[in-house]
Structure formats: structure tokens, C-alpha cells
Amino acid sequence: VLAVGFGHDSTEAGHHAWASIIDGFDYAKKRYINEWMEWQNSLTPQEESQDSSGKLSRISAAVLRIHESKSFVGGTIASMSIPWGFSKGDDDIGGYHLVWPRDLVQIAGGFLSMHSNDDAFRVINYLMVTQESDGHWPQNMWLSGKRNMMGIQIDQVALPILLINLCSTNGALDLHMIHTYWKIVKKAVAYIIKNGPATSQD
């Protein structure tokens, strides 16, 4: 049995690895499978012409969910891949393995389409806490919310507004949630009015 541990330093990583060995492989496997099955069973897969069982939807939903951070709930990177072909490499610290607000909205929309409201709400709450004081979101950011690229793109500000509207019109938000999320909508709309309709990035 090989255990790989991660941590802020070698001591923490070693403790995690040793704890997993003590728990045993069978326990880890059972917990892992059960958690995924419980989540998948809560979804309403989309009908597909080629696959009436919804298998493709379930795979797609799993791909979206595995990109969510374990440390920053709702924080979901755009992709684990390195984008832009041969012009980027392993030494590039930015890219799609950062959080992009527009991608977060698309991810939440996918979850909403499968009636996985809890997953969508985690994304919205992450957007709430990473919104800048003037109402915009960074072009992209680390999971901690720290900005990476310095550009500002209006769609990164507008799409969270549309997401909250989508939740509201589909009955996924109660009045308390609408009142809470209105704060970010108001700031984002104000930012677009003051700085739109486009930036140098658009």
C-alpha cells in the first residue's frame, strides 16, 4: 500500500499519509465511492439523444465538481489543463488552472441544469466574497481570491448578475437569498454603468 500525503510542510504531509495508512485502503475506497454515488444520485441528468441514461451528463457533472477546491469552498478552477497549446508550459503559473469568474458562472449554470442547487450556491457564495469593493471581479484569481492578471473584462462582471437572475427565475432562491445576493448584483451593475460597455480587454 502506497500512501501519498500533502500538507503545508513535510510534517503535516507525513501525518496525513500515516493517518490514511492507519485508516486502511478499504475504508478510504468505500468512503470515496459512497460520497460520489450519493452526490451523483442527487442529480437530475439531462436527456441526451445518444444516451438516454444520462451517462454523459453525469460524467460532465463529475468533471466540473473535481475542479472545486477542498480548501476554498465554491472556488473552482477553469481547467486542470495548460491552455493555449505550445505557447504555454509547466513554468507558466497562470492560466486556466486559476479561477475565472465567467467560468464559475458557466459551472454553476451546469449544476443548476441538473438541479444541484447546493453546488451552484457554493459558487455564488464564493463570488460574493471575492467581489472587489467597487463591484467588479478580477480577470482571474487564485483560489484564495488574490488577483493574478490585472485586466478587467466586463463579461466577468456581468455574468454573475445573470447567474443570480437565472437562479431567481428558476425558483432556486428564496426571498432571504435574493435579498442577500442583491448586494453583489447592485455593486456589479453600478460598476458596469460607470465603466462599461467595454474595457481594453473586451
Side-chain angles (χ1 to χ4, degrees):
V1 175
L2 174 66
V4 179
F6 297 92
H8 292 290
D9 54 36
S10 59
T11 301
E12 182 181 347
H15 288 160
H16 286 305
W18 183 233
S20 69
I21 291 173
I22 292 172
D23 287 340
F25 176 77
D26 290 338
Y27 170 77
K29 177 183 176 183
K30 181 179 178 181
R31 188 177 68 175
Y32 180 83
I33 292 173
N34 287 346
E35 287 177 0
W36 273 108
M37 289 184 67
E38 181 180 349
W39 179 73
Q40 284 280 358
N41 290 335
S42 72
L43 303 177
T44 304
Q46 300 297 298
E47 291 295 327
E48 292 134 346
S49 58
Q50 300 288 330
D51 181 19
S52 60
S53 69
K55 183 178 179 182
L56 293 177
S57 287
R58 292 186 181 281
I59 291 172
S60 297
V63 169
L64 294 179
R65 190 144 196 241
I66 63 173
H67 284 76
E68 182 180 357
S69 170
K70 302 291 188 196
S71 302
F72 298 93
V73 176
T76 307
I77 61 172
S79 176
M80 292 184 193
S81 64
I82 298 173
W84 305 304
F86 295 109
S87 65
K88 296 287 182 180
D90 291 334
D91 294 331
D92 292 293
I93 62 171
Y96 287 164
H97 41 283
L98 293 167
V99 177
W100 295 69
R102 79 164 68 88
D103 293 81
L104 276 180
V105 170
Q106 299 291 343
I107 290 166
F111 287 135
L112 285 171
S113 73
M114 301 189 81
H115 302 107
S116 185
N117 292 351
D118 288 345
D119 291 293
F121 294 153
R122 287 199 306 275
V123 170
I124 294 173
N125 289 338
Y126 179 87
L127 285 167
M128 282 192 72
V129 301
T130 56
Q131 186 183 36
E132 299 285 338
S133 60
D134 63 0
H136 84 280
W137 283 269
Q139 180 180 355
N140 53 39
M141 55 191 157
W142 300 103
L143 286 163
S144 65
K146 181 180 179 182
R147 131 189 331 263
N148 179 50
M149 293 181 176
M150 301 309 292
I152 295 174
Q153 300 172 339
I154 290 295
D155 65 336
Q156 310 268 26
V157 185
L159 285 174
I161 299 170
L162 298 179
L163 172 61
I164 293 173
N165 180 64
L166 178 65
C167 290
S168 179
T169 56
N170 284 280
L173 297 179
D174 60 28
L175 289 176
H176 172 72
M177 290 177 172
I178 292 173
H179 177 73
T180 300
Y181 295 147
W182 171 245
K183 297 172 186 176
I184 68 171
V185 170
K186 186 177 180 180
K187 286 201 298 183
V189 169
Y191 184 88
I192 293 172
I193 292 171
K194 292 176 183 176
N195 299 279
T199 70
S200 60
Q201 290 278 318
D202 295 308

